Amino acid sequence: MTRAQAIAHAEQCFASGAFRERLARRVAMPTESQNPARAGDLAAYLHEELQPAFESMGFACRTLAHPKAKAPFLYAERIEDAALPTVLGYGHGDVIRGLDAEWHEGLSPWALTASQGRWYGRGIADNKGQHTVNMEALRMVLETRGKLGFNAKYLVEMGEETGSPGLREVCEANRERFAADLLIASDGPRLRAERPTVFLGARGGLNFDMTIEAREGGHHSGNWGGLLSNPGIQLAHAIACIVSPTGQIRIPEWVPAELPASVRRVLADCEVDGGADGPTIDPGWGEPGLTPAEQVYGWCSFEVLAFKTGNPETPVNAIPPRARAHCQLRFVVGVDPDGLLPALRRHLDRHGFPMVQLSLTRENMFKATRLDPDDPWVHWTVASLEKTSGKKPAILPNLGGSLPNDIFTEVLGLRTIWVPHSYPSCSQHAPNEHLPPELLEEGLKLMTGLYWDLGAGPVPATSRAAS
């Protein structure tokens, strides 16, 4: 049996409707991890849907738990020979809230629906569609070759959308069990819908609040205007000292010393484009001298996600007593994550804003990670994807967003390569989440070819970290 036959088998699986049927069953399970009422659905997704699928492919499965996690973890492994390469896969079966009432007429978050050349359903892009592609690609190789030709391990969590509580602790407790040569997983979007993409890590993410509590209660703006400080004005100026009017970060500790040459090289042919449904990029925004791809995949960005002072819905003629901004910093490798808030504190104090209080929000901080684009495994992966698709894949040093990738790199000591099967305008986390079916079909063929090549060899040499 040959590589071409395995990919043809993947094409037939997709054309027959078998892939869609399996994915539709998973989309129909309302696995909202932010909704306490869905605890039973989270467990059922693992035990009634994914575990039987893994076991049918000869994987041994076990449930792992941690008190921090709202749901268990599923671990599956198929060990064919200890001397063979070992790959860890990862996915998450939880989804963001369905927002049922906000979907277009005729669509539901809990039903895979075809409309106008797209497949709609909550989780189809994030992450049910993506881990279904990878699991079915493993099946295609097994059914064609009769074996994988490598050792496969897979970890599925049900809390990624709430910050992956317990994931770090489970990985720390199972370092030896999860030992592998590298992680290959799928999440996030491609650079563009039609271009296969790999990304090698993720930007870090820090969410925090900036607050000014000036006094108890509001005071009449006519009687006290000009005498009492206005927290809204003060906080606006505090934010203005952090970032320029065009979005350039003004805190030196919040940006890397330089953009590495290897990062510039792989981003040179990457064009950021959200497609017909994506927003138009604002020219001149961000760090001067960087291309849009370098801004998103090589640099840091500061955002004010929400700002409140007074009562915006029903304003009154009173000086508000407080103001609060919910802020976020996305940062890359080369920035010290432990020094971010201390640097902000020093910066605000120097600029005359000691009254601004800083506090971390409930979101976990993700650390920045990036595998060297020159790593042999990167070249090997890109060659496999190009052989299957006939297209030159985009190489992104890291995802623009944040993932718990630092757990795999720091705790398990793994190289990490992500092959996304989504695209920027998929409405992930919003109503009407969708994907073009041809993107899923191409993803299935790409991963079938990749897993085939893993078992056919040769592959790069790797020193495995087992502890």
Side-chain angles (χ1 to χ4, degrees), residues 77-153:
E77 67 175 18
R78 179 186 166 104
I79 306 300
E80 295 187 351
D81 187 326
L84 293 173
T86 300
V87 175
L88 178 66
Y90 162 83
H92 66 91
D94 66 316
V95 298
I96 207 76
R97 288 185 182 272
L99 307 175
D100 305 48
E102 301 178 35
W103 288 57
H104 291 326
E105 184 177 356
L107 301 179
S108 164
W110 315 123
L112 195 159
T113 305
S115 177
Q116 298 181 333
R118 296 169 168 176
W119 287 0
Y120 289 83
R122 178 61 86 220
I124 194 168
D126 186 23
N127 178 256
K128 294 177 178 179
Q130 303 217 36
H131 64 248
T132 297
V133 163
N134 292 0
M135 290 173 65
E136 290 304 290
L138 290 169
R139 186 185 304 279
M140 297 303 102
V141 173
L142 281 167
E143 292 179 353
T144 304
R145 186 157 53 197
K147 61 180 180 179
L148 291 177
F150 61 94
N151 302 316
K153 300 180 178 182

Side-chain angles (χ1 to χ4, degrees), residues 254-275:
W254 279 18
V255 295
E258 62 180 357
L259 198 62
S262 61
V263 172
R264 284 191 182 274
R265 188 183 69 254
V266 295
L267 292 177
D269 72 338
C270 293
E271 180 182 356
V272 179
D273 182 3

